[in-house]
Amino acid sequence: MRKLALWYSRNFKPLFSHKQLEPIMSTLGFTALPPASPSFDGGITWREYVFAAGAHSLPRPRLPYPRIDGLHNHTYQAFLEAVNFHLRMYDISTVFHVRGMPMNRVDLYRKWHALEEDEQVYVYREGTLDQAAHKLYSDSEGKSSKDGLFDFASLAIRNKGGESEVGQVVPLEDIIVSPDESEPF
Protein backbone atom coordinates (compact mmCIF):
# COMPACT_ATOMS: atom_id res chain seq x y z
CA MET A 1 0.00 0.00 0.00
CA ARG A 2 1.09 3.55 -0.75
CA LYS A 3 -0.26 6.92 0.32
CA LEU A 4 -0.12 10.34 -1.25
CA ALA A 5 1.75 13.24 0.30
CA LEU A 6 2.31 16.91 -0.42
CA TRP A 7 5.96 17.52 -1.32
CA TYR A 8 7.91 20.76 -1.24
CA SER A 9 9.41 20.79 -4.72
CA ARG A 10 12.34 23.09 -3.93
CA ASN A 11 14.03 20.65 -1.54
CA PHE A 12 12.15 17.54 -2.68
CA LYS A 13 10.91 16.62 0.81
CA PRO A 14 7.47 15.36 1.83
CA LEU A 15 5.43 17.40 4.27
CA PHE A 16 3.73 15.45 7.04
CA SER A 17 2.25 18.15 9.27
CA HIS A 18 1.18 21.78 9.40
CA LYS A 19 4.29 22.44 11.49
CA GLN A 20 6.37 21.69 8.38
CA LEU A 21 3.94 23.45 6.01
CA GLU A 22 3.49 26.75 7.89
CA PRO A 23 6.99 28.22 7.28
CA ILE A 24 6.63 27.56 3.56
CA MET A 25 3.15 29.05 3.45
CA SER A 26 4.34 32.16 5.32
CA THR A 27 7.07 32.76 2.72
CA LEU A 28 4.33 32.60 0.07
CA GLY A 29 2.30 35.26 1.94
CA PHE A 30 -0.17 33.04 3.83
CA THR A 31 -0.98 33.06 7.54
CA ALA A 32 -2.28 29.98 9.33
CA LEU A 33 -5.56 30.36 11.18
CA PRO A 34 -6.19 28.38 14.38
CA PRO A 35 -7.53 24.90 13.63
CA ALA A 36 -11.31 24.89 13.17
CA SER A 37 -13.41 22.89 15.59
CA PRO A 38 -14.43 19.48 14.31
CA SER A 39 -17.81 19.36 12.64
CA PHE A 40 -20.89 18.32 14.61
CA ASP A 41 -20.31 14.65 13.75
CA GLY A 42 -16.97 14.57 15.58
CA GLY A 43 -15.03 14.48 12.32
CA ILE A 44 -11.65 15.83 11.35
CA THR A 45 -10.28 19.23 12.39
CA TRP A 46 -9.16 21.46 9.48
CA ARG A 47 -6.65 24.33 9.35
CA GLU A 48 -7.07 27.17 6.86
CA TYR A 49 -4.55 29.66 5.51
CA VAL A 50 -5.33 33.29 4.69
CA PHE A 51 -3.48 35.16 1.95
CA ALA A 52 -2.10 38.45 3.30
CA ALA A 53 -3.02 40.50 0.22
CA GLY A 54 -6.62 39.26 0.27
CA ALA A 55 -7.38 38.49 3.90
CA HIS A 56 -11.12 38.11 3.39
CA SER A 57 -11.10 36.57 -0.06
CA LEU A 58 -12.01 33.01 -0.86
CA PRO A 59 -11.01 30.31 -1.52
CA ARG A 60 -8.89 29.64 1.51
CA PRO A 61 -6.36 26.81 1.28
CA ARG A 62 -7.14 24.21 3.93
CA LEU A 63 -5.98 20.76 4.97
CA PRO A 64 -6.87 18.38 7.81
CA TYR A 65 -5.06 19.08 11.07
CA PRO A 66 -2.43 18.10 12.27
CA ARG A 67 -1.24 15.52 9.68
CA ILE A 68 -1.32 16.41 5.99
CA ASP A 69 -0.10 13.15 4.47
CA GLY A 70 -2.31 10.27 3.33
CA LEU A 71 -5.11 12.47 1.96
CA HIS A 72 -7.31 11.96 -1.09
CA ASN A 73 -5.97 13.54 -4.30
CA HIS A 74 -9.06 15.79 -4.50
CA THR A 75 -8.18 17.26 -1.10
CA TYR A 76 -4.68 18.05 -2.37
CA GLN A 77 -6.09 19.47 -5.62
CA ALA A 78 -8.44 21.79 -3.72
CA PHE A 79 -5.54 22.97 -1.52
CA LEU A 80 -3.19 23.56 -4.45
CA GLU A 81 -5.80 25.30 -6.53
CA ALA A 82 -6.69 27.62 -3.62
CA VAL A 83 -2.99 28.47 -3.14
CA ASN A 84 -2.60 29.05 -6.86
CA PHE A 85 -5.74 31.20 -6.96
CA HIS A 86 -3.90 33.78 -4.86
CA LEU A 87 -0.38 33.32 -6.26
CA ARG A 88 -1.45 33.00 -9.92
CA MET A 89 1.57 30.91 -10.81
CA TYR A 90 1.83 29.30 -14.21
CA ASP A 91 2.94 26.01 -12.66
CA ILE A 92 2.30 25.50 -8.94
CA SER A 93 4.32 22.28 -9.06
CA THR A 94 7.49 24.39 -8.88
CA VAL A 95 6.51 24.95 -5.23
CA PHE A 96 4.36 21.93 -4.28
CA HIS A 97 3.51 18.64 -5.89
CA VAL A 98 1.73 15.47 -4.83
CA ARG A 99 3.55 12.17 -4.96
CA GLY A 100 2.99 8.66 -3.68
CA MET A 101 5.12 7.28 -0.89
CA PRO A 102 5.33 4.13 1.24
CA MET A 103 3.28 3.74 4.38
CA ASN A 104 5.03 3.91 7.76
CA ARG A 105 4.35 2.49 11.23
CA VAL A 106 2.30 5.50 12.35
CA ASP A 107 -0.08 4.79 9.48
CA LEU A 108 -0.93 1.28 10.60
CA TYR A 109 -3.28 2.47 13.35
CA ARG A 110 -5.60 4.50 11.10
CA LYS A 111 -8.58 3.60 8.96
CA TRP A 112 -7.86 3.80 5.24
CA HIS A 113 -9.92 3.77 2.06
CA ALA A 114 -8.71 2.73 -1.39
CA LEU A 115 -8.12 5.40 -4.04
CA GLU A 116 -7.41 4.17 -7.54
CA GLU A 117 -5.37 6.46 -9.77
CA ASP A 118 -4.80 4.99 -13.22
CA GLU A 119 -3.04 1.68 -12.54
CA GLN A 120 -1.81 2.65 -9.07
CA VAL A 121 -3.73 2.01 -5.84
CA TYR A 122 -3.26 4.50 -3.04
CA VAL A 123 -5.03 4.79 0.28
CA TYR A 124 -6.31 7.86 2.07
CA ARG A 125 -7.23 8.46 5.72
CA GLU A 126 -10.86 8.16 6.66
CA GLY A 127 -12.58 11.52 7.11
CA THR A 128 -10.01 13.59 5.19
CA LEU A 129 -11.98 13.91 1.95
CA ASP A 130 -14.05 17.09 1.84
CA GLN A 131 -17.26 16.09 0.06
CA ALA A 132 -17.60 19.46 -1.73
CA ALA A 133 -14.08 19.15 -3.16
CA HIS A 134 -14.69 15.53 -4.09
CA LYS A 135 -17.85 16.43 -6.00
CA LEU A 136 -16.17 19.37 -7.75
CA TYR A 137 -13.13 17.43 -8.91
CA SER A 138 -14.85 14.17 -9.74
CA ASP A 139 -17.42 16.05 -11.89
CA SER A 140 -14.76 18.11 -13.66
CA GLU A 141 -11.85 15.67 -13.86
CA GLY A 142 -9.34 16.90 -16.39
CA LYS A 143 -11.19 20.17 -17.11
CA SER A 144 -10.06 23.64 -16.15
CA SER A 145 -11.72 25.41 -13.25
CA LYS A 146 -14.81 27.61 -13.60
CA ASP A 147 -12.82 30.75 -14.36
CA GLY A 148 -10.44 28.95 -16.72
CA LEU A 149 -7.32 29.99 -14.79
CA PHE A 150 -5.99 26.61 -13.82
CA ASP A 151 -5.10 23.44 -15.58
CA PHE A 152 -5.33 20.29 -13.45
CA ALA A 153 -2.33 18.85 -15.32
CA SER A 154 -0.04 21.12 -13.27
CA LEU A 155 -1.71 19.90 -10.06
CA ALA A 156 -1.63 16.22 -10.91
CA ILE A 157 0.05 13.43 -9.04
CA ARG A 158 3.62 12.91 -10.17
CA ASN A 159 3.80 9.46 -11.66
CA LYS A 160 7.50 9.07 -12.39
CA GLY A 161 7.10 10.33 -15.93
CA GLY A 162 4.54 7.77 -17.06
CA GLU A 163 2.82 10.39 -19.23
CA SER A 164 6.01 11.95 -20.60
CA GLU A 165 7.40 11.33 -24.03
CA VAL A 166 10.62 9.38 -24.42
CA GLY A 167 13.60 11.61 -23.78
CA GLN A 168 11.83 14.03 -21.42
CA VAL A 169 12.45 12.11 -18.20
CA VAL A 170 15.98 12.27 -16.83
CA PRO A 171 16.97 10.05 -13.90
CA LEU A 172 17.74 12.01 -10.71
CA GLU A 173 21.29 10.64 -10.53
CA ASP A 174 22.00 12.18 -13.96
CA ILE A 175 20.95 15.62 -12.69
CA ILE A 176 22.74 15.68 -9.33
CA VAL A 177 26.49 15.84 -9.73
CA SER A 178 28.57 14.53 -6.86
CA PRO A 179 31.17 17.13 -5.81
CA ASP A 180 34.81 16.24 -6.23
CA GLU A 181 36.12 15.42 -2.77
CA SER A 182 39.27 17.49 -3.36
CA GLU A 183 37.32 20.69 -4.12
CA PRO A 184 35.94 22.77 -1.22
CA PHE A 185 32.30 23.81 -1.39
Side-chain angles (χ1 to χ4, degrees), residues 19 27 35 40-42 50 59-60 110 115 141 151 179 185:
K19 185 177 180 180
T27 63
F40 64 90
D41 62 358
V50 177
R60 287 187 179 162
R110 300 182 187 270
L115 161 68
E141 202 69 51
D151 177 14
F185 290 135

PDB file of all heavy atoms in Angstrom, residues 19 27 35 40-42 50 59-60 110 115 141 151 179 185:
ATOM      1  N   LYS A  19       3.069  21.867  10.941  1.00  0.00           N
ATOM      2  CA  LYS A  19       4.294  22.442  11.494  1.00  0.00           C
ATOM      3  C   LYS A  19       5.358  22.579  10.404  1.00  0.00           C
ATOM      4  O   LYS A  19       6.099  23.556  10.375  1.00  0.00           O
ATOM      5  CB  LYS A  19       4.802  21.572  12.647  1.00  0.00           C
ATOM      6  CG  LYS A  19       5.986  22.131  13.367  1.00  0.00           C
ATOM      7  CD  LYS A  19       6.368  21.248  14.539  1.00  0.00           C
ATOM      8  CE  LYS A  19       7.573  21.820  15.266  1.00  0.00           C
ATOM      9  NZ  LYS A  19       7.955  20.980  16.387  1.00  0.00           N
ATOM     10  N   THR A  27       6.215  32.143   3.746  1.00  0.00           N
ATOM     11  CA  THR A  27       7.069  32.760   2.724  1.00  0.00           C
ATOM     12  C   THR A  27       6.287  33.055   1.452  1.00  0.00           C
ATOM     13  O   THR A  27       6.681  33.927   0.680  1.00  0.00           O
ATOM     14  CB  THR A  27       8.287  31.884   2.378  1.00  0.00           C
ATOM     15  OG1 THR A  27       7.841  30.654   1.821  1.00  0.00           O
ATOM     16  CG2 THR A  27       9.170  31.641   3.583  1.00  0.00           C
ATOM     17  N   PRO A  35      -6.738  26.015  14.150  1.00  0.00           N
ATOM     18  CA  PRO A  35      -7.533  24.903  13.625  1.00  0.00           C
ATOM     19  C   PRO A  35      -9.011  25.067  13.952  1.00  0.00           C
ATOM     20  O   PRO A  35      -9.370  25.466  15.064  1.00  0.00           O
ATOM     21  CB  PRO A  35      -6.968  23.668  14.331  1.00  0.00           C
ATOM     22  CG  PRO A  35      -5.611  24.083  14.795  1.00  0.00           C
ATOM     23  CD  PRO A  35      -5.678  25.566  15.038  1.00  0.00           C
ATOM     24  N   PHE A  40     -19.958  18.859  13.615  1.00  0.00           N
ATOM     25  CA  PHE A  40     -20.885  18.317  14.606  1.00  0.00           C
ATOM     26  C   PHE A  40     -20.816  16.799  14.731  1.00  0.00           C
ATOM     27  O   PHE A  40     -21.147  16.250  15.757  1.00  0.00           O
ATOM     28  CB  PHE A  40     -22.320  18.739  14.269  1.00  0.00           C
ATOM     29  CG  PHE A  40     -22.821  18.186  12.959  1.00  0.00           C
ATOM     30  CD1 PHE A  40     -23.460  16.968  12.901  1.00  0.00           C
ATOM     31  CD2 PHE A  40     -22.633  18.894  11.776  1.00  0.00           C
ATOM     32  CE1 PHE A  40     -23.905  16.447  11.693  1.00  0.00           C
ATOM     33  CE2 PHE A  40     -23.085  18.378  10.572  1.00  0.00           C
ATOM     34  CZ  PHE A  40     -23.724  17.165  10.531  1.00  0.00           C
ATOM     35  N   ASP A  41     -20.350  16.114  13.700  1.00  0.00           N
ATOM     36  CA  ASP A  41     -20.312  14.652  13.753  1.00  0.00           C
ATOM     37  C   ASP A  41     -19.017  14.116  14.369  1.00  0.00           C
ATOM     38  O   ASP A  41     -18.752  12.926  14.334  1.00  0.00           O
ATOM     39  CB  ASP A  41     -20.523  14.059  12.361  1.00  0.00           C
ATOM     40  CG  ASP A  41     -19.445  14.456  11.373  1.00  0.00           C
ATOM     41  OD1 ASP A  41     -18.534  15.235  11.751  1.00  0.00           O
ATOM     42  OD2 ASP A  41     -19.503  13.985  10.232  1.00  0.00           O
ATOM     43  N   GLY A  42     -18.203  15.016  14.945  1.00  0.00           N
ATOM     44  CA  GLY A  42     -16.967  14.574  15.583  1.00  0.00           C
ATOM     45  C   GLY A  42     -15.895  14.210  14.585  1.00  0.00           C
ATOM     46  O   GLY A  42     -14.996  13.440  14.880  1.00  0.00           O
ATOM     47  N   VAL A  50      -4.806  32.054   5.260  1.00  0.00           N
ATOM     48  CA  VAL A  50      -5.331  33.289   4.689  1.00  0.00           C
ATOM     49  C   VAL A  50      -4.194  33.992   3.953  1.00  0.00           C
ATOM     50  O   VAL A  50      -3.087  34.120   4.495  1.00  0.00           O
ATOM     51  CB  VAL A  50      -5.881  34.207   5.807  1.00  0.00           C
ATOM     52  CG1 VAL A  50      -6.359  35.525   5.230  1.00  0.00           C
ATOM     53  CG2 VAL A  50      -6.999  33.521   6.556  1.00  0.00           C
ATOM     54  N   PRO A  59     -11.044  31.446  -2.437  1.00  0.00           N
ATOM     55  CA  PRO A  59     -11.005  30.306  -1.520  1.00  0.00           C
ATOM     56  C   PRO A  59      -9.813  30.383  -0.578  1.00  0.00           C
ATOM     57  O   PRO A  59      -8.807  30.996  -0.886  1.00  0.00           O
ATOM     58  CB  PRO A  59     -10.862  29.125  -2.472  1.00  0.00           C
ATOM     59  CG  PRO A  59     -10.085  29.661  -3.616  1.00  0.00           C
ATOM     60  CD  PRO A  59     -10.537  31.086  -3.771  1.00  0.00           C
ATOM     61  N   ARG A  60      -9.983  29.738   0.555  1.00  0.00           N
ATOM     62  CA  ARG A  60      -8.892  29.637   1.511  1.00  0.00           C
ATOM     63  C   ARG A  60      -8.309  28.236   1.432  1.00  0.00           C
ATOM     64  O   ARG A  60      -9.037  27.258   1.545  1.00  0.00           O
ATOM     65  CB  ARG A  60      -9.386  29.897   2.925  1.00  0.00           C
ATOM     66  CG  ARG A  60      -9.696  31.330   3.188  1.00  0.00           C
ATOM     67  CD  ARG A  60     -10.003  31.537   4.643  1.00  0.00           C
ATOM     68  NE  ARG A  60     -10.277  32.936   4.909  1.00  0.00           N
ATOM     69  CZ  ARG A  60     -10.896  33.357   5.984  1.00  0.00           C
ATOM     70  NH1 ARG A  60     -11.307  32.497   6.895  1.00  0.00           N
ATOM     71  NH2 ARG A  60     -11.106  34.635   6.160  1.00  0.00           N
ATOM     72  N   ARG A 110      -4.537   3.648  11.633  1.00  0.00           N
ATOM     73  CA  ARG A 110      -5.602   4.498  11.100  1.00  0.00           C
ATOM     74  C   ARG A 110      -6.489   3.699  10.156  1.00  0.00           C
ATOM     75  O   ARG A 110      -6.078   2.675   9.637  1.00  0.00           O
ATOM     76  CB  ARG A 110      -5.010   5.679  10.332  1.00  0.00           C
ATOM     77  CG  ARG A 110      -4.133   6.554  11.187  1.00  0.00           C
ATOM     78  CD  ARG A 110      -3.637   7.726  10.367  1.00  0.00           C
ATOM     79  NE  ARG A 110      -2.664   8.504  11.100  1.00  0.00           N
ATOM     80  CZ  ARG A 110      -2.948   9.524  11.876  1.00  0.00           C
ATOM     81  NH1 ARG A 110      -4.192   9.887  12.046  1.00  0.00           N
ATOM     82  NH2 ARG A 110      -2.004  10.189  12.496  1.00  0.00           N
ATOM     83  N   LEU A 115      -8.011   4.348  -3.036  1.00  0.00           N
ATOM     84  CA  LEU A 115      -8.116   5.395  -4.037  1.00  0.00           C
ATOM     85  C   LEU A 115      -7.367   4.890  -5.257  1.00  0.00           C
ATOM     86  O   LEU A 115      -6.164   4.645  -5.187  1.00  0.00           O
ATOM     87  CB  LEU A 115      -7.472   6.693  -3.519  1.00  0.00           C
ATOM     88  CG  LEU A 115      -7.080   7.749  -4.536  1.00  0.00           C
ATOM     89  CD1 LEU A 115      -8.324   8.347  -5.175  1.00  0.00           C
ATOM     90  CD2 LEU A 115      -6.263   8.837  -3.873  1.00  0.00           C
ATOM     91  N   GLU A 141     -13.159  16.275 -13.725  1.00  0.00           N
ATOM     92  CA  GLU A 141     -11.847  15.666 -13.861  1.00  0.00           C
ATOM     93  C   GLU A 141     -11.232  16.002 -15.207  1.00  0.00           C
ATOM     94  O   GLU A 141     -11.818  15.760 -16.251  1.00  0.00           O
ATOM     95  CB  GLU A 141     -11.958  14.147 -13.695  1.00  0.00           C
ATOM     96  CG  GLU A 141     -10.677  13.473 -13.305  1.00  0.00           C
ATOM     97  CD  GLU A 141     -10.222  13.802 -11.898  1.00  0.00           C
ATOM     98  OE1 GLU A 141     -11.019  13.682 -10.946  1.00  0.00           O
ATOM     99  OE2 GLU A 141      -9.069  14.186 -11.759  1.00  0.00           O
ATOM    100  N   ASP A 151      -5.094  24.681 -14.844  1.00  0.00           N
ATOM    101  CA  ASP A 151      -5.096  23.436 -15.582  1.00  0.00           C
ATOM    102  C   ASP A 151      -4.732  22.343 -14.587  1.00  0.00           C
ATOM    103  O   ASP A 151      -3.691  22.412 -13.949  1.00  0.00           O
ATOM    104  CB  ASP A 151      -4.051  23.517 -16.702  1.00  0.00           C
ATOM    105  CG  ASP A 151      -3.928  22.236 -17.475  1.00  0.00           C
ATOM    106  OD1 ASP A 151      -4.801  21.362 -17.339  1.00  0.00           O
ATOM    107  OD2 ASP A 151      -2.948  22.110 -18.226  1.00  0.00           O
ATOM    108  N   PRO A 179      29.997  16.233  -5.824  1.00  0.00           N
ATOM    109  CA  PRO A 179      31.167  17.131  -5.810  1.00  0.00           C
ATOM    110  C   PRO A 179      32.446  16.326  -5.697  1.00  0.00           C
ATOM    111  O   PRO A 179      32.486  15.251  -5.093  1.00  0.00           O
ATOM    112  CB  PRO A 179      30.932  17.980  -4.574  1.00  0.00           C
ATOM    113  CG  PRO A 179      30.017  17.198  -3.707  1.00  0.00           C
ATOM    114  CD  PRO A 179      29.194  16.344  -4.642  1.00  0.00           C
ATOM    115  N   PHE A 185      33.604  23.287  -0.959  1.00  0.00           N
ATOM    116  CA  PHE A 185      32.297  23.806  -1.393  1.00  0.00           C
ATOM    117  C   PHE A 185      32.320  25.303  -1.453  1.00  0.00           C
ATOM    118  O   PHE A 185      32.730  26.030  -0.721  1.00  0.00           O
ATOM    119  CB  PHE A 185      31.181  23.341  -0.454  1.00  0.00           C
ATOM    120  CG  PHE A 185      30.915  21.886  -0.578  1.00  0.00           C
ATOM    121  CD1 PHE A 185      30.751  21.111   0.532  1.00  0.00           C
ATOM    122  CD2 PHE A 185      30.819  21.279  -1.823  1.00  0.00           C
ATOM    123  CE1 PHE A 185      30.487  19.772   0.436  1.00  0.00           C
ATOM    124  CE2 PHE A 185      30.547  19.941  -1.922  1.00  0.00           C
ATOM    125  CZ  PHE A 185      30.398  19.170  -0.796  1.00  0.00           C
TER     126      PHE A 185
END
